Amino acid sequence: MPVVSITNATKIFNPGSANQTEALKDINLSIEPGEFVSLIGPSGCGKSTLLRLIGDLIEPTAGQILVNDKPAHQARLDQDYGIVFQAPVLYEWRNITRNVQLPLELRGLPRREREKEAAAMLALVELTGFEKHYPWQLSGGMQQRASIARALVTKPAILLMDEPFGALDEMTRERMNMELHNIWQRAQATIIFVTHSIAEAVYLSNRVIVMSARPGRIFAEIDIDLPDSRSVETREETRFFELVNQLRESLRQAEAIGQ
Amino acid sequence: MSDPSIGQPPPGSDVDATGYSDVAVAVDETIRPWWRRGVFQHYLPAILIFVTCIVAWELFVRLLEIQAFLLPAPSVIGEAFTRNFNRLTHIGWFTTKEALGGFAIGCSLGILVAFATARWSTASEALMPFAIAANSVPILAFAPILNNWFGVDNPLSKMLIVAVIVFFPMMINTVRGLTLVDPAALELMQAYAASEFEILRHLRLPNALPYMFNAFKVAAALSMIGAVVSEYFGGNRSALGVFITQEAAQFRFHNSWAAIIIASAVGITFYLVILAVERFAIPWHVSVRGSDRG
């Protein structure tokens, strides 16, 4: 049973008005449990829109989106997913552990349990010792790891990530990629990951969805047949380069038809 | 930044690859002589300027032989202050109560209306025009009328003037704080299917606190001004504004000046109290945490 199943999803912004835009057209996509799927494409291809549709932050104009076999709306109410944005979006009045505990607080979990879960998640993202720090006392990379811990603390079936490392420098980003890969393997979550970076998509994913713009459509799917366990060396393997080139070529074609 | 052992991340955390070193740095205060320690050194320039101004004022009045009814020397004012100290504190407290009462009424109403307008857009549409109109009205002009309504002696007439004056800054700032919320922070709440009340409690309210403290500071200053000036239009004999006008009318300007010192002291104290509460209530906010981290 797929975790996410999208049939003929279409999203039109401002329908009927002068600035009507067809952001997504006839999207069909199915994501299996435990998969790491990246969405990549030229700007305006609707990859973030697709992520928001899955998370029920916006509603499709037409089509059906099922998450865990129920409508996306119900899945959101059941808190079936965690979400990570490009910015860490930590609340500045809460220290790190209280930020991570927020989703559990909204679920009404007692304090002791919340603290236990948050401590486990902070250990997972290697932020043990920073519980009492406030967000502004941490670097960008650490803040983003805290936001990943917050997204994972409810043990969601799906993790939605919208260019989470877009604002980080290249070195931190590669390091975060490695950490996310490890977290993914340990947490056994399904991850849907929006990115601009070809190398990042290849390094992290089982499958990369290439999208084209105007209207946003799925242009190609590339299976990433790298070994399951990936490390620094993965980026130096021949197969890695082949896949990067294949993805780059596919993106070029996708970009061409959008113009 | 003097002691390298301070500000290091706790043991067990990895700081190698990206060098996360920007954890808050505490400066050791004990290794400096007292005159170079934080608070004193921080306020030293302000103290020097104050003393210089007072000395210059004294010299100016004495050397140019300025007549006392135009500008009394600081020493004369100081003498009037100590001579009338009991009376001044008595009338100062009377007016302070008016200011505090008006502050409490105006701020409570401002916050109440702000929550209503932020919650229900119909309330916002219905109330906003009045609030903005009220802000454009020279409220002190109503002082004689309120004196007539409630009686010149009644502190309530002054409290209401103060309440109306502080209402607008309080309301508008609270509305801003409740509504100017980072869209991503709101989307996060939405993603967790948080209720309106939970969003208010966990996001909008903490977000509004810094705005509200700014409003409290403005309102503190305004409340003392409002109370004293509305007393100029008549009031209880033991009111600060009444004392100032009466003494001035009888050419005892040094007494008026002494009363102004009391009014200023109350205003400054009021402001400092709010500052202290702010530090305690929102230690996380940029305005409070200083420049620990760039």
Side-chain angles (χ1 to χ4, degrees), chain A residues 6-42:
Chain A
I6 303 169
T7 27
N8 300 322
T10 295
K11 177 67 190 178
I12 299 167
F13 286 112
N14 311 312
S17 79
N19 49 359
Q20 165 173 334
T21 33
E22 197 169 22
L24 289 171
K25 188 175 183 175
D26 287 333
I27 301 288
N28 286 288
L29 181 65
S30 165
I31 295 168
E32 297 298 321
E35 259 195 301
F36 195 121
V37 176
S38 287
L39 307 175
I40 195 167

mmCIF file of all heavy atoms in Angstrom, chain A residues 6-42:
data_model
loop_
_atom_site.group_PDB
_atom_site.id
_atom_site.type_symbol
_atom_site.label_atom_id
_atom_site.label_comp_id
_atom_site.label_asym_id
_atom_site.label_seq_id
_atom_site.Cartn_x
_atom_site.Cartn_y
_atom_site.Cartn_z
ATOM 1 N N ILE A 6 -1.297 9.879 -5.588
ATOM 2 C CA ILE A 6 -1.881 11.074 -6.195
ATOM 3 C C ILE A 6 -2.428 10.701 -7.560
ATOM 4 O O ILE A 6 -1.717 10.122 -8.380
ATOM 5 C CB ILE A 6 -0.813 12.178 -6.352
ATOM 6 C CG1 ILE A 6 -0.200 12.496 -4.991
ATOM 7 C CG2 ILE A 6 -1.398 13.432 -6.986
ATOM 8 C CD1 ILE A 6 1.032 13.371 -5.061
ATOM 9 N N THR A 7 -3.706 10.990 -7.796
ATOM 10 C CA THR A 7 -4.292 10.693 -9.101
ATOM 11 C C THR A 7 -4.869 11.947 -9.729
ATOM 12 O O THR A 7 -5.712 12.616 -9.132
ATOM 13 C CB THR A 7 -5.409 9.633 -8.983
ATOM 14 O OG1 THR A 7 -5.980 9.706 -7.678
ATOM 15 C CG2 THR A 7 -4.895 8.236 -9.230
ATOM 16 N N ASN A 8 -4.371 12.252 -10.919
ATOM 17 C CA ASN A 8 -4.860 13.364 -11.742
ATOM 18 C C ASN A 8 -4.987 14.673 -10.979
ATOM 19 O O ASN A 8 -5.963 15.403 -11.137
ATOM 20 C CB ASN A 8 -6.225 13.015 -12.352
ATOM 21 C CG ASN A 8 -6.143 11.784 -13.239
ATOM 22 O OD1 ASN A 8 -5.148 11.599 -13.947
ATOM 23 N ND2 ASN A 8 -7.162 10.944 -13.181
ATOM 24 N N ALA A 9 -4.011 14.956 -10.138
ATOM 25 C CA ALA A 9 -4.091 16.196 -9.357
ATOM 26 C C ALA A 9 -3.763 17.402 -10.235
ATOM 27 O O ALA A 9 -2.791 17.400 -10.990
ATOM 28 C CB ALA A 9 -3.143 16.133 -8.174
ATOM 29 N N THR A 10 -4.621 18.421 -10.116
ATOM 30 C CA THR A 10 -4.429 19.662 -10.851
ATOM 31 C C THR A 10 -4.583 20.799 -9.862
ATOM 32 O O THR A 10 -5.437 20.745 -8.978
ATOM 33 C CB THR A 10 -5.473 19.793 -11.970
ATOM 34 O OG1 THR A 10 -5.248 18.746 -12.925
ATOM 35 C CG2 THR A 10 -5.382 21.132 -12.672
ATOM 36 N N LYS A 11 -3.711 21.794 -10.006
ATOM 37 C CA LYS A 11 -3.860 22.964 -9.135
ATOM 38 C C LYS A 11 -3.830 24.228 -9.992
ATOM 39 O O LYS A 11 -2.878 24.472 -10.731
ATOM 40 C CB LYS A 11 -2.728 23.019 -8.100
ATOM 41 C CG LYS A 11 -2.772 24.240 -7.204
ATOM 42 C CD LYS A 11 -3.987 24.237 -6.278
ATOM 43 C CE LYS A 11 -4.162 25.574 -5.569
ATOM 44 N NZ LYS A 11 -5.371 25.594 -4.716
ATOM 45 N N ILE A 12 -4.904 24.987 -9.915
ATOM 46 C CA ILE A 12 -4.969 26.263 -10.628
ATOM 47 C C ILE A 12 -5.091 27.362 -9.587
ATOM 48 O O ILE A 12 -6.003 27.342 -8.753
ATOM 49 C CB ILE A 12 -6.168 26.298 -11.595
ATOM 50 C CG1 ILE A 12 -6.021 25.182 -12.641
ATOM 51 C CG2 ILE A 12 -6.284 27.653 -12.269
ATOM 52 C CD1 ILE A 12 -7.268 24.914 -13.436
ATOM 53 N N PHE A 13 -4.151 28.292 -9.601
ATOM 54 C CA PHE A 13 -4.243 29.435 -8.684
ATOM 55 C C PHE A 13 -5.096 30.526 -9.312
ATOM 56 O O PHE A 13 -5.047 30.751 -10.528
ATOM 57 C CB PHE A 13 -2.849 29.983 -8.366
ATOM 58 C CG PHE A 13 -2.063 29.105 -7.425
ATOM 59 C CD1 PHE A 13 -0.938 28.418 -7.870
ATOM 60 C CD2 PHE A 13 -2.453 28.947 -6.098
ATOM 61 C CE1 PHE A 13 -0.211 27.604 -7.006
ATOM 62 C CE2 PHE A 13 -1.729 28.144 -5.236
ATOM 63 C CZ PHE A 13 -0.617 27.471 -5.687
ATOM 64 N N ASN A 14 -5.876 31.205 -8.518
ATOM 65 C CA ASN A 14 -6.763 32.286 -8.959
ATOM 66 C C ASN A 14 -7.607 31.887 -10.166
ATOM 67 O O ASN A 14 -7.571 32.560 -11.187
ATOM 68 C CB ASN A 14 -5.972 33.548 -9.311
ATOM 69 C CG ASN A 14 -4.999 33.922 -8.227
ATOM 70 O OD1 ASN A 14 -5.368 33.962 -7.060
ATOM 71 N ND2 ASN A 14 -3.759 34.158 -8.610
ATOM 72 N N PRO A 15 -8.337 30.786 -10.085
ATOM 73 C CA PRO A 15 -9.105 30.368 -11.256
ATOM 74 C C PRO A 15 -10.140 31.429 -11.624
ATOM 75 O O PRO A 15 -10.745 32.053 -10.760
ATOM 76 C CB PRO A 15 -9.786 29.071 -10.801
ATOM 77 C CG PRO A 15 -9.774 29.116 -9.326
ATOM 78 C CD PRO A 15 -8.571 29.905 -8.928
ATOM 79 N N GLY A 16 -10.285 31.617 -12.956
ATOM 80 C CA GLY A 16 -11.291 32.549 -13.451
ATOM 81 C C GLY A 16 -10.837 33.991 -13.467
ATOM 82 O O GLY A 16 -11.496 34.838 -14.072
ATOM 83 N N SER A 17 -9.724 34.312 -12.822
ATOM 84 C CA SER A 17 -9.280 35.706 -12.822
ATOM 85 C C SER A 17 -8.222 35.910 -13.909
ATOM 86 O O SER A 17 -7.822 34.976 -14.594
ATOM 87 C CB SER A 17 -8.713 36.075 -11.456
ATOM 88 O OG SER A 17 -7.403 35.579 -11.340
ATOM 89 N N ALA A 18 -7.800 37.159 -14.069
ATOM 90 C CA ALA A 18 -6.864 37.500 -15.140
ATOM 91 C C ALA A 18 -5.501 36.837 -14.918
ATOM 92 O O ALA A 18 -4.852 36.422 -15.881
ATOM 93 C CB ALA A 18 -6.701 39.012 -15.224
ATOM 94 N N ASN A 19 -5.096 36.730 -13.655
ATOM 95 C CA ASN A 19 -3.791 36.112 -13.417
ATOM 96 C C ASN A 19 -3.913 34.647 -13.006
ATOM 97 O O ASN A 19 -3.202 34.158 -12.143
ATOM 98 C CB ASN A 19 -2.991 36.909 -12.377
ATOM 99 C CG ASN A 19 -3.822 37.213 -11.145
ATOM 100 O OD1 ASN A 19 -4.999 36.839 -11.086
ATOM 101 N ND2 ASN A 19 -3.229 37.859 -10.161
ATOM 102 N N GLN A 20 -4.821 33.971 -13.651
ATOM 103 C CA GLN A 20 -4.983 32.539 -13.424
ATOM 104 C C GLN A 20 -3.720 31.798 -13.857
ATOM 105 O O GLN A 20 -3.201 32.028 -14.950
ATOM 106 C CB GLN A 20 -6.196 32.047 -14.235
ATOM 107 C CG GLN A 20 -6.274 30.550 -14.375
ATOM 108 C CD GLN A 20 -7.576 30.120 -15.035
ATOM 109 O OE1 GLN A 20 -8.585 30.809 -14.965
ATOM 110 N NE2 GLN A 20 -7.534 28.989 -15.717
ATOM 111 N N THR A 21 -3.205 30.937 -12.982
ATOM 112 C CA THR A 21 -2.025 30.153 -13.364
ATOM 113 C C THR A 21 -2.270 28.683 -13.065
ATOM 114 O O THR A 21 -2.751 28.337 -11.983
ATOM 115 C CB THR A 21 -0.772 30.596 -12.571
ATOM 116 O OG1 THR A 21 -1.191 31.017 -11.284
ATOM 117 C CG2 THR A 21 0.000 31.677 -13.266
ATOM 118 N N GLU A 22 -1.912 27.880 -14.040
ATOM 119 C CA GLU A 22 -2.037 26.442 -13.863
ATOM 120 C C GLU A 22 -0.718 25.939 -13.295
ATOM 121 O O GLU A 22 0.252 25.747 -14.017
ATOM 122 C CB GLU A 22 -2.352 25.776 -15.204
ATOM 123 C CG GLU A 22 -2.896 24.379 -15.032
ATOM 124 C CD GLU A 22 -3.457 23.840 -16.351
ATOM 125 O OE1 GLU A 22 -3.070 24.344 -17.421
ATOM 126 O OE2 GLU A 22 -4.276 22.895 -16.296
ATOM 127 N N ALA A 23 -0.679 25.755 -12.003
ATOM 128 C CA ALA A 23 0.578 25.402 -11.346
ATOM 129 C C ALA A 23 0.917 23.930 -11.550
ATOM 130 O O ALA A 23 2.070 23.568 -11.716
ATOM 131 C CB ALA A 23 0.502 25.718 -9.858
ATOM 132 N N LEU A 24 -0.089 23.082 -11.514
ATOM 133 C CA LEU A 24 0.138 21.649 -11.678
ATOM 134 C C LEU A 24 -0.951 21.077 -12.572
ATOM 135 O O LEU A 24 -2.123 21.467 -12.480
ATOM 136 C CB LEU A 24 0.089 20.942 -10.314
ATOM 137 C CG LEU A 24 1.245 21.182 -9.344
ATOM 138 C CD1 LEU A 24 0.910 20.579 -7.988
ATOM 139 C CD2 LEU A 24 2.546 20.619 -9.873
ATOM 140 N N LYS A 25 -0.548 20.137 -13.440
ATOM 141 C CA LYS A 25 -1.540 19.549 -14.331
ATOM 142 C C LYS A 25 -1.400 18.034 -14.379
ATOM 143 O O LYS A 25 -0.314 17.522 -14.643
ATOM 144 C CB LYS A 25 -1.370 20.129 -15.747
ATOM 145 C CG LYS A 25 -2.486 19.702 -16.672
ATOM 146 C CD LYS A 25 -2.384 20.378 -18.019
ATOM 147 C CE LYS A 25 -3.594 19.948 -18.839
ATOM 148 N NZ LYS A 25 -3.656 20.636 -20.113
ATOM 149 N N ASP A 26 -2.471 17.351 -14.089
ATOM 150 C CA ASP A 26 -2.541 15.887 -14.194
ATOM 151 C C ASP A 26 -1.346 15.176 -13.581
ATOM 152 O O ASP A 26 -0.634 14.439 -14.262
ATOM 153 C CB ASP A 26 -2.675 15.474 -15.670
ATOM 154 C CG ASP A 26 -4.066 15.785 -16.182
ATOM 155 O OD1 ASP A 26 -5.013 15.803 -15.360
ATOM 156 O OD2 ASP A 26 -4.204 16.037 -17.396
ATOM 157 N N ILE A 27 -1.161 15.406 -12.300
ATOM 158 C CA ILE A 27 -0.054 14.739 -11.612
ATOM 159 C C ILE A 27 -0.525 13.361 -11.138
ATOM 160 O O ILE A 27 -1.561 13.234 -10.483
ATOM 161 C CB ILE A 27 0.409 15.571 -10.398
ATOM 162 C CG1 ILE A 27 0.854 16.966 -10.810
ATOM 163 C CG2 ILE A 27 1.506 14.837 -9.633
ATOM 164 C CD1 ILE A 27 2.154 17.035 -11.550
ATOM 165 N N ASN A 28 0.251 12.348 -11.509
ATOM 166 C CA ASN A 28 0.009 11.003 -10.988
ATOM 167 C C ASN A 28 1.297 10.513 -10.361
ATOM 168 O O ASN A 28 2.337 10.498 -11.017
ATOM 169 C CB ASN A 28 -0.425 10.053 -12.112
ATOM 170 C CG ASN A 28 -1.856 10.337 -12.543
ATOM 171 O OD1 ASN A 28 -2.804 10.040 -11.834
ATOM 172 N ND2 ASN A 28 -1.996 10.973 -13.709
ATOM 173 N N LEU A 29 1.207 10.160 -9.107
ATOM 174 C CA LEU A 29 2.426 9.783 -8.405
ATOM 175 C C LEU A 29 2.069 8.875 -7.243
ATOM 176 O O LEU A 29 1.064 9.078 -6.566
ATOM 177 C CB LEU A 29 3.133 11.048 -7.891
ATOM 178 C CG LEU A 29 4.448 10.875 -7.137
ATOM 179 C CD1 LEU A 29 5.531 10.311 -8.027
ATOM 180 C CD2 LEU A 29 4.902 12.220 -6.568
ATOM 181 N N SER A 30 2.907 7.882 -7.056
ATOM 182 C CA SER A 30 2.675 6.974 -5.941
ATOM 183 C C SER A 30 3.998 6.758 -5.219
ATOM 184 O O SER A 30 5.027 6.527 -5.848
ATOM 185 C CB SER A 30 2.115 5.666 -6.504
ATOM 186 O OG SER A 30 2.190 4.667 -5.532
ATOM 187 N N ILE A 31 3.974 6.877 -3.921
ATOM 188 C CA ILE A 31 5.204 6.771 -3.140
ATOM 189 C C ILE A 31 5.049 5.658 -2.114
ATOM 190 O O ILE A 31 4.078 5.617 -1.359
ATOM 191 C CB ILE A 31 5.539 8.117 -2.473
ATOM 192 C CG1 ILE A 31 5.853 9.155 -3.557
ATOM 193 C CG2 ILE A 31 6.723 7.977 -1.521
ATOM 194 C CD1 ILE A 31 5.920 10.569 -3.068
ATOM 195 N N GLU A 32 6.011 4.740 -2.112
ATOM 196 C CA GLU A 32 5.955 3.569 -1.244
ATOM 197 C C GLU A 32 6.566 3.880 0.120
ATOM 198 O O GLU A 32 7.399 4.781 0.244
ATOM 199 C CB GLU A 32 6.715 2.401 -1.892
ATOM 200 C CG GLU A 32 6.120 1.913 -3.204
ATOM 201 C CD GLU A 32 4.694 1.377 -3.048
ATOM 202 O OE1 GLU A 32 4.416 0.698 -2.034
ATOM 203 O OE2 GLU A 32 3.862 1.658 -3.925
ATOM 204 N N PRO A 33 6.186 3.113 1.142
ATOM 205 C CA PRO A 33 6.755 3.341 2.478
ATOM 206 C C PRO A 33 8.277 3.226 2.462
ATOM 207 O O PRO A 33 8.821 2.335 1.807
ATOM 208 C CB PRO A 33 6.148 2.224 3.329
ATOM 209 C CG PRO A 33 4.977 1.740 2.577
ATOM 210 C CD PRO A 33 5.197 2.033 1.134
ATOM 211 N N GLY A 34 8.924 4.117 3.160
ATOM 212 C CA GLY A 34 10.373 4.049 3.284
ATOM 213 C C GLY A 34 11.133 4.648 2.121
ATOM 214 O O GLY A 34 12.361 4.711 2.158
ATOM 215 N N GLU A 35 10.426 5.118 1.106
ATOM 216 C CA GLU A 35 11.111 5.707 -0.042
ATOM 217 C C GLU A 35 11.636 7.095 0.280
ATOM 218 O O GLU A 35 11.070 7.813 1.110
ATOM 219 C CB GLU A 35 10.142 5.832 -1.224
ATOM 220 C CG GLU A 35 10.293 4.747 -2.271
ATOM 221 C CD GLU A 35 9.580 5.122 -3.559
ATOM 222 O OE1 GLU A 35 8.353 5.338 -3.520
ATOM 223 O OE2 GLU A 35 10.248 5.220 -4.589
ATOM 224 N N PHE A 36 12.709 7.478 -0.409
ATOM 225 C CA PHE A 36 13.188 8.856 -0.375
ATOM 226 C C PHE A 36 13.032 9.400 -1.782
ATOM 227 O O PHE A 36 13.762 9.024 -2.693
ATOM 228 C CB PHE A 36 14.654 8.909 0.072
ATOM 229 C CG PHE A 36 15.102 10.283 0.469
ATOM 230 C CD1 PHE A 36 15.591 10.522 1.746
ATOM 231 C CD2 PHE A 36 15.032 11.353 -0.421
ATOM 232 C CE1 PHE A 36 16.007 11.795 2.129
ATOM 233 C CE2 PHE A 36 15.444 12.621 -0.043
ATOM 234 C CZ PHE A 36 15.936 12.846 1.243
ATOM 235 N N VAL A 37 12.044 10.253 -1.970
ATOM 236 C CA VAL A 37 11.734 10.761 -3.303
ATOM 237 C C VAL A 37 12.057 12.250 -3.365
ATOM 238 O O VAL A 37 11.618 13.020 -2.510
ATOM 239 C CB VAL A 37 10.241 10.541 -3.639
ATOM 240 C CG1 VAL A 37 9.888 11.155 -4.980
ATOM 241 C CG2 VAL A 37 9.910 9.058 -3.628
ATOM 242 N N SER A 38 12.835 12.638 -4.362
ATOM 243 C CA SER A 38 13.132 14.061 -4.534
ATOM 244 C C SER A 38 12.325 14.622 -5.683
ATOM 245 O O SER A 38 12.113 13.955 -6.699
ATOM 246 C CB SER A 38 14.616 14.269 -4.832
ATOM 247 O OG SER A 38 15.364 14.046 -3.669
ATOM 248 N N LEU A 39 11.861 15.858 -5.529
ATOM 249 C CA LEU A 39 11.198 16.593 -6.600
ATOM 250 C C LEU A 39 12.155 17.679 -7.056
ATOM 251 O O LEU A 39 12.611 18.488 -6.261
ATOM 252 C CB LEU A 39 9.896 17.229 -6.105
ATOM 253 C CG LEU A 39 8.884 16.322 -5.404
ATOM 254 C CD1 LEU A 39 7.721 17.145 -4.875
ATOM 255 C CD2 LEU A 39 8.372 15.259 -6.364
ATOM 256 N N ILE A 40 12.462 17.666 -8.350
ATOM 257 C CA ILE A 40 13.413 18.648 -8.857
ATOM 258 C C ILE A 40 12.858 19.209 -10.162
ATOM 259 O O ILE A 40 12.101 18.531 -10.866
ATOM 260 C CB ILE A 40 14.819 18.007 -9.032
ATOM 261 C CG1 ILE A 40 15.905 19.062 -9.196
ATOM 262 C CG2 ILE A 40 14.839 16.994 -10.159
ATOM 263 C CD1 ILE A 40 17.324 18.500 -9.060
ATOM 264 N N GLY A 41 13.218 20.431 -10.472
ATOM 265 C CA GLY A 41 12.739 21.014 -11.721
ATOM 266 C C GLY A 41 13.011 22.502 -11.752
ATOM 267 O O GLY A 41 13.387 23.087 -10.741
ATOM 268 N N PRO A 42 12.834 23.117 -12.920
ATOM 269 C CA PRO A 42 13.071 24.559 -13.041
ATOM 270 C C PRO A 42 12.119 25.336 -12.130
ATOM 271 O O PRO A 42 11.074 24.816 -11.741
ATOM 272 C CB PRO A 42 12.796 24.851 -14.512
ATOM 273 C CG PRO A 42 11.943 23.733 -14.978
ATOM 274 C CD PRO A 42 12.325 22.540 -14.164
#
